[in-house]
Amino acid sequence: MEVKRGDLTALPFDGGTFDAAASAHAIDHLGSQIRAGLREMARVLKPGGRFLIVAWAPGWTMFAVANVLSLLRISKRSWRRRTADAGFTIADEGTFNGNWFAVLQKPKA
């Protein structure tokens, strides 16, 4: 196995390299570069590839953990729009330990 360091908005891999990818509490911290990070994930996935994203989203559980700061996080509706803009469809989504997750799928062709 080889480990490579890289920028989530400019990954050091050819397009269509991976069957799957995951981001737990990373891509949601890219600020104004979130859309670029999502597009980059779509680029490196093979057609039909899946991307698991776990992100903080406003809700009662997040409010209990992070109080008022949770209200500044990106809403689930906005995450859905951003992932669709990057070319993904949502295969599954839900909440786990107060965090929003989605299994995104890149179109097969």
Side-chain angles (χ1 to χ4, degrees), residues 70-83:
S70 71
L71 301 176
L72 302 174
R73 303 308 302 168
I74 298 170
S75 69
K76 294 174 193 174
R77 177 182 290 163
S78 183
W79 274 115
R80 289 181 195 109
R81 185 176 59 250
R82 290 173 189 216
T83 58

Side-chain angles (χ1 to χ4, degrees), residues 5-105:
R5 293 180 61 156
D7 179 343
L8 282 173
T9 63
L11 293 169
F13 306 104
D14 292 334
T17 299
F18 300 101
D19 293 314
S23 170
H25 308 296
I27 207 161
D28 55 329
H29 291 281
L30 291 178
S32 64
Q33 296 296 310
I34 287 174
R35 283 186 173 90
L38 288 169
R39 284 191 303 270
E40 191 65 356
M41 283 295 155
R43 182 187 71 76
V44 299
L45 285 173
K46 294 177 183 176
R50 290 191 169 198
F51 175 43
L52 171 65
I53 183 171
V54 180
W56 282 25
W60 286 111
T61 304
M62 272 304 117
F63 186 79
V65 172
N67 211 331
V68 176
L69 294 176
S70 71
L71 301 176
L72 302 174
R73 303 308 302 168
I74 298 170
S75 69
K76 294 174 193 174
R77 177 182 290 163
S78 183
W79 274 115
R80 289 181 195 109
R81 185 176 59 250
R82 290 173 189 216
T83 58
D85 289 347
F88 288 107
T89 59
I90 296 178
D92 190 18
E93 73 174 303
T95 306
F96 180 75
N97 286 341
N99 298 290
W100 176 76
F101 75 86
V103 177
L104 308 175
Q105 184 156 4

